[in-house]
Amino acid sequence: MSTSERDALKRIFGNTGFLIAGRAINAVCSFVYIAWAVRALGLSQFGVLMLVTTFGAAISQATHLLSWQPLLHYGTDPFTNGRQAQFARVLAFCIRADYISGGVGWLVGTLGVALFGTYMGWPAADQGAAFAYMLTIAFTNTSWSAGVFRLCNSFWLTMLTDLSGALVRTVGSGVGFMYHMGLDYYLLVWSVTQLVMFISSTTLGWLQLRHAGATRRFSLFAPLEAGDAPGIWRFTLSTSCNHLLGSVFNQFGTLLVGGILGPADAAVYRVSRQIGEGIAKPAQLMMPALYPEFIRLREDQDWYGIKRVTIKLFLMIGGFSIVLMGVAMAVGNILLTWMLHVHWHGGRSLIMLMLGSAILGLGVVPLEPLLTVIGQVSQVLKGRIIVTLTYLPLMYGMTMAWHLEGAAAAAVVAGLIMLGVCLRPVVAWFRRMAPGRRPVNGNASPSIMPPMPEKGTGT
């Protein structure tokens, strides 16, 4: 293994460790605050809470722009080489994208409650609180600060942001449980949690930039100049559309279950999905740490290094998945019963299906950033489109036929399709750019030139 590969893997696992620590704290807290919320509200009202907050999260994910990706993609070179004015203009573009998309999300969410609230399973009496909760979407997007943390190799700051939100939600839920508070109070707790995370993330991101000396030339309204970031809008929209379609898979499934089966079943589906994804989350958190390392290897044109890193990650994910299945068999149903305070018949099979979907998603973890970095983000977008067109009608039919087990099985089929669509172009790219083993003379690449980036992406 070359030094660059070894260093890349070391940084990937080190930064992933910080992300895992933050999410592990959040996961432990979620087991506590969800249990308190269920006991305070009852399963039906807790289902309404999950539907409203899931709808808000779905709209946020559907409307916000992933500004951290263009910040890394176009800002790494000027940031590293001291071109502060150019970096400041790219940063200003990313911050504006966050705030504008947050405002658009708030408007879309408010309109969505007015038009579809009744059809998504929550009573008309609760729609006033749902309208107020949609304001949360305006300050949900902190993508630019996440990009700063990754650009500065300060992933531990993400852990602090997650910790601030987990503590607020846990303490607030505990107070609500002690004093028997209702749905409006818990929606306020969820909203304040997001506000605290927004403030902490923004503050830490700005302090990190000041420490790096990258704020002296900054102006929020500074426009991009020619040559700063060619194709940045196309790249941003492509990656954001991919994220949008991913949110359809992750969030709108819960809303569809609520509309078909009711709030109680939606709560069971949402919590069982959360358990399955929570068990698989450590490996999923590797994805943000991969982007900067793949960019470094791409800048060095170390195609064999990219190939070796990707293969090693696949092998590790495969071994990790076997362990996950054993954990789910042992404790999955126990966690579901404890969090919902009811024993749900078939809970173990439901969680195993949810975990199966999450494990298939783990296979995409190294593929999505790789395809984005090498200029084939359209392949990821193609996969998301195919999955979306397949998943929603399939889930509707299987939910009608087999209830929650059918909905979970539809997620497994969708995950398998996404893995196959992303794996195919990666294998073809490796065969073309890094065939066989690395040449004996070190980092030499094949004589063939790398493929031209997609028009307008600037990759």
Side-chain angles (χ1 to χ4, degrees), residues 17-292:
F18 286 121
L19 297 177
I20 290 173
R23 292 302 176 89
I25 295 172
N26 190 49
V28 171
C29 291
S30 70
F31 291 139
V32 176
Y33 65 67
I34 286 179
W36 280 339
V38 171
R39 286 161 175 76
L41 298 174
L43 188 58
S44 181
Q45 279 282 283
F46 175 75
V48 175
L49 173 67
M50 289 292 97
L51 288 172
V52 173
T53 55
T54 299
F55 179 74
I59 295 299
S60 174
Q61 293 181 13
T63 55
H64 84 237
L65 300 174
L66 291 186
S67 63
W68 71 268
Q69 289 194 342
L71 183 63
L72 283 178
H73 200 81
Y74 296 100
T76 298
D77 184 56
F79 181 81
T80 304
N81 294 304
R83 300 197 299 274
Q84 293 184 7
Q86 180 182 352
F87 174 75
R89 291 191 293 269
V90 174
L91 175 65
F93 170 88
C94 295
I95 295 177
R96 291 196 302 268
D98 277 1
Y99 292 163
I100 292 172
S101 61
V104 171
W106 168 51
L107 294 175
V108 172
T110 302
L111 184 62
V113 173
L115 295 178
F116 307 112
T118 304
Y119 298 101
M120 285 185 289
W122 58 67
D126 296 323
Q127 291 188 26
F131 275 116
Y133 182 79
M134 292 305 114
L135 182 60
T136 305
I137 300 173
F139 47 84
T140 296
N141 195 2
T142 56
S143 190
W144 74 267
S145 54
V148 169
F149 300 156
R150 293 159 191 175
L151 186 64
C152 297
N153 201 36
S154 299
F155 282 69
W156 63 277
L157 294 176
T158 302
M159 179 181 67
L160 292 184
T161 302
D162 290 341
L163 178 61
S164 67
L167 290 177
V168 170
R169 187 167 294 176
T170 303
V171 172
S173 297
V175 172
F177 172 67
M178 289 175 60
Y179 293 98
H180 309 288
M181 306 298 285
L183 177 64
D184 292 355
Y185 170 82
Y186 275 94
L187 284 172
L188 178 63
V189 170
W190 258 246
S191 184
V192 171
T193 298
Q194 193 58 56
L195 178 61
V196 169
M197 293 178 67
F198 176 83
I199 293 173
S200 62
S201 180
T202 301
T203 302
L204 291 172
W206 192 251
L207 290 175
Q208 187 70 14
L209 288 174
R210 285 191 62 183
H211 179 72
T215 60
R216 289 191 293 270
R217 309 285 298 272
F218 178 78
S219 172
L220 181 61
F221 302 102
L224 289 169
E225 296 182 1
D228 280 347
I232 190 171
W233 266 116
R234 181 184 177 93
F235 179 82
T236 303
L237 292 176
S238 296
T239 54
S240 299
C241 285
N242 172 44
H243 182 73
L244 162 62
L245 295 175
S247 72
V248 171
F249 178 79
N250 290 323
Q251 302 291 354
F252 282 93
T254 303
L255 300 175
L256 187 60
V257 170
I260 296 173
L261 303 178
D265 288 80
V268 175
Y269 179 84
R270 178 69 179 87
V271 172
S272 61
R273 186 181 188 91
Q274 184 175 350
I275 292 172
E277 292 180 347
I279 295 174
K281 182 61 73 175
Q284 292 173 339
L285 290 174
M286 194 181 297
M287 186 180 291
L290 289 175
Y291 278 94

Side-chain angles (χ1 to χ4, degrees), residues 205-378:
W206 192 251
L207 290 175
Q208 187 70 14
L209 288 174
R210 285 191 62 183
H211 179 72
T215 60
R216 289 191 293 270
R217 309 285 298 272
F218 178 78
S219 172
L220 181 61
F221 302 102
L224 289 169
E225 296 182 1
D228 280 347
I232 190 171
W233 266 116
R234 181 184 177 93
F235 179 82
T236 303
L237 292 176
S238 296
T239 54
S240 299
C241 285
N242 172 44
H243 182 73
L244 162 62
L245 295 175
S247 72
V248 171
F249 178 79
N250 290 323
Q251 302 291 354
F252 282 93
T254 303
L255 300 175
L256 187 60
V257 170
I260 296 173
L261 303 178
D265 288 80
V268 175
Y269 179 84
R270 178 69 179 87
V271 172
S272 61
R273 186 181 188 91
Q274 184 175 350
I275 292 172
E277 292 180 347
I279 295 174
K281 182 61 73 175
Q284 292 173 339
L285 290 174
M286 194 181 297
M287 186 180 291
L290 289 175
Y291 278 94
E293 302 309 323
F294 279 154
I295 288 175
R296 290 187 182 98
L297 292 170
R298 183 197 65 187
E299 295 301 318
D300 294 337
Q301 295 191 8
D302 188 1
W303 315 124
Y304 282 97
I306 292 178
K307 179 180 179 180
R308 287 284 299 276
V309 169
T310 304
I311 291 174
K312 285 184 176 296
L313 291 175
F314 253 110
L315 294 175
M316 293 176 183
I317 288 172
F320 187 65
S321 299
I322 296 174
V323 176
L324 293 181
M325 297 300 290
V327 172
M329 286 289 292
V331 302
N333 197 33
I334 296 173
L335 291 175
L336 182 64
T337 302
W338 187 83
M339 292 177 71
L340 294 177
H341 202 49
V342 295
H343 178 75
W344 194 267
H345 179 69
R348 175 171 295 171
S349 61
L350 183 62
I351 289 177
M352 293 299 292
L353 287 170
M354 292 296 191
L355 181 62
S357 173
I359 287 175
L360 290 171
L362 294 183
V364 184
V365 165
L367 303 181
E368 181 176 336
L370 174 58
L371 289 170
T372 302
V373 166
I374 65 176
Q376 297 191 35
V377 66
S378 63

